[in-house]
Amino acid sequence: MRVAIVGAGFGGLCMAVHLARKGIPHVVFEKGDGVGGTWRDNTYPGAGCDIPSHLYSFSFEPWCDWSRRYPGQPEILAYLEMVAARHRVRPRFGTEVTELAHDGSGWLVVTPGGVERFDVVVTAVGQLNRPRVPEIPGAETFRGEAFHSARWGSRDLAGKRVAVVGTGSSAAQLVPSLAGTARQVDVYQRTPSWVLPKADGAFSPLTRAVFRRVPGAHRLYREWQFAYLENTVFPALVEGWSTGLIRRAGLAHLRSQVADPGLRRRLTPGYPPGCKRIVLDSRFYPALTRHDVELITDPITRIVPEGVETPAGVRQAEVIVYATGFHTTEFLLPMTVTGTCGRDLREQWRDGAEAYLGMAAPGFPNLFFLYGPNTNLGHNSIVHMLEAQVGYVMRCLHLIARRGRMEVTEAAMSAYTTALNRALAATVWNQGCRSWYKTEAGRITNNWPRSARDYRRLTRRPRPGAYNFGAGR
Ligand code: NAP
């Protein structure tokens, strides 16, 4: 059996390591020039993770030496490079998969370099990899430099007048790092985020030594972190016991960091916490109170050659940073995916992407998605979800070897979607906000509505009754 993996971020690496351990031949296709996915792309100053590092790492490759509770992008990228090197994962870099097509007997993987046949394909392309730059009138006339936060590269904006569009997690991290370095930072906010304090801090050499040397200490710490997020943060997303607690914590954080009542009012969200991804940051609000940082809540009407125009006038800018998020609901695009009988996945997902357990779609045998539809979390580590998915795919490969090609049935897909929608209806995500979790029409295509523990339980082993098995692989 030959397996193709598309992407060499957290998901692709995890899949490759597990396949290698079982001696299953595979190829990892990666369009970039290194491993790391989103952690290779996002190099803006201040980039980091809002999930504790010990949880945001693989259970099979625990790392006791994280420098701090919430490490920055360079350290996470170094961890992923270390995992790839240690497990000898050698992706084909610079090789973008443009098309996947099932020809009745296997998958054809199309890249600019040619076509190759595989028995199984696993996509691991992430949900946050295609920058979304809004179409603002006049954008093309801007005289300065304009780019997306995930395309920062190694720019230095010291001494510049910078306009930052957006106030999500990316903006909240880069604005404090720019403030004081740039001459002026204007932050254009359309909707305020809920912001909670980030209890960050360095691990002392003693703590690290305990993690390394005391049997079970590191595992216990991980489990405690996991249980905390499951039992405290998750209930707030389904209007459970902590809803009020999170709201009060957010408002108290705002009060303690912003003295000006007018600014505070403009930063107070008008929707429940968790509806959009909560921003975890202790530096964002203080940055907004600086004399060289301005929060602008008037809507942007136009970009002009010298800056950004709102109904209040034009504000000069030399650089515009679009921290405006990603194309999150168009899973797998721009890849073309054609299943059996010419089924087009884009067409099948016209009204919103859906997949059985987030991993399989009817009409697309032996194709598995990692971090696919409705598997994002608003409260816990995505690495947990990826490991559950990789374990599931490994068991599917075992079934394929025994029983032939496998394809989820329409009945299983439809029963799953009904149950999923029922659970989604009880979440905070559809309560009066716009977010990257849903389509323009309001369908929530990205998030898993139950606990991460539940997902692990449901994906422990494939239910053969949910699949049709065919001749050959
Ligand atoms: P995002 O959460 O989608 O935020 C995009 C921001 O841009 C929003 O404030 C949005 O306003 C604004 N925006 C979009 N179009 C606009 C327009 N035409 N005019 C004005 N404002 C506009 O994107 P992100 O900040 O890059 O974060 C995406 C996700 O990546 C996060 O939720 C998180 O899961 C992950 N991430 C995590 C971290 C971390 O771990 N700390 C850091 C970065 C990213 P509206 O709200 O009004 O739409």
Side-chain angles (χ1 to χ4, degrees), residues 38-39 42 44 46-51 128 132-136 148-149 165-173 188-193 198 271 276-281 300 322-326 328 371 376-377 434-437:
T38 195
W39 295 106
N42 284 273
Y44 60 79
C49 189
D50 56 7
I51 295 293
L128 299 159
R132 201 181 68 80
V133 175
E135 284 172 19
I136 302 176
H148 188 271
S149 54
V165 184
T167 48
S169 303
S170 299
Q173 290 185 335
Y188 289 85
Q189 170 185 281
R190 190 164 64 177
T191 317
S193 289
K198 192 175 197 176
Y271 57 89
K276 284 175 185 298
R277 171 86 182 196
I278 293 173
V279 169
L280 206 62
D281 204 288
I300 299 173
Y322 290 104
T324 43
F326 299 84
T328 51
Y371 197 16
N376 177 58
L377 296 178
R434 168 179 43 213
S435 82
W436 66 261
Y437 300 155

Side-chain angles (χ1 to χ4, degrees), residues 25-50:
H26 59 277
V27 175
V28 184
F29 294 91
E30 168 54 56
K31 72 173 163 27
D33 57 1
V35 300
T38 195
W39 295 106
R40 182 203 55 221
D41 290 348
N42 284 273
T43 56
Y44 60 79
C49 189
D50 56 7

Side-chain angles (χ1 to χ4, degrees), residues 243-264:
T243 304
L245 184 80
I246 301 268
R247 172 183 284 275
R248 284 193 297 278
L251 293 175
H253 183 52
L254 177 58
R255 252 193 327 270
S256 71
Q257 293 201 316
V258 180
D260 173 3
L263 181 58
R264 230 165 36 212

Side-chain angles (χ1 to χ4, degrees), residues 254-434:
L254 177 58
R255 252 193 327 270
S256 71
Q257 293 201 316
V258 180
D260 173 3
L263 181 58
R264 230 165 36 212
R265 201 171 328 108
R266 291 193 293 147
L267 288 168
T268 305
Y271 57 89
C275 186
K276 284 175 185 298
R277 171 86 182 196
I278 293 173
V279 169
L280 206 62
D281 204 288
S282 300
R283 302 193 315 144
F284 184 48
Y285 286 152
L288 295 178
T289 64
R290 290 174 60 103
H291 71 281
D292 51 1
V293 177
E294 186 75 30
L295 179 77
I296 292 140
T297 48
D298 290 324
I300 299 173
T301 44
R302 232 166 21 120
I303 305 287
V304 292
E306 61 278 11
V308 180
E309 186 188 90
T310 69
V314 171
R315 288 187 67 93
Q316 308 279 323
E318 292 163 276
V319 179
I320 300 176
V321 180
Y322 290 104
T324 43
F326 299 84
H327 291 281
T328 51
T329 55
E330 300 158 359
F331 291 80
L332 301 188
L333 271 184
M335 230 184 313
T336 307
V337 185
T338 314
T340 47
C341 308
R343 268 212 211 196
D344 178 359
L345 191 60
R346 200 173 306 173
E347 182 57 25
Q348 188 156 314
W349 286 353
R350 198 183 44 232
D351 299 326
E354 59 176 31
Y356 178 70
L357 294 169
M359 288 186 272
F364 299 83
N366 288 10
L367 173 64
F368 300 97
F369 318 115
L370 301 183
Y371 197 16
N374 293 103
T375 62
N376 177 58
L377 296 178
H379 73 286
N380 209 329
S381 174
I382 197 61
V383 183
H384 173 89
M385 301 293 273
L386 290 170
E387 287 200 51
Q389 290 167 0
V390 167
Y392 185 91
V393 172
M394 290 305 291
R395 286 178 201 103
C396 287
L397 297 186
H398 187 66
L399 277 176
I400 291 168
R402 275 187 25 233
R403 301 182 55 176
R405 195 161 77 210
M406 77 191 271
E407 176 182 337
V408 69
T409 65
E410 297 278 2
M413 182 71 245
S414 138
Y416 175 78
T417 302
T418 304
L420 184 83
N421 287 342
R422 203 176 312 122
L424 284 168
T427 66
V428 76
W429 302 315
N430 49 23
Q431 293 187 10
C433 79
R434 168 179 43 213

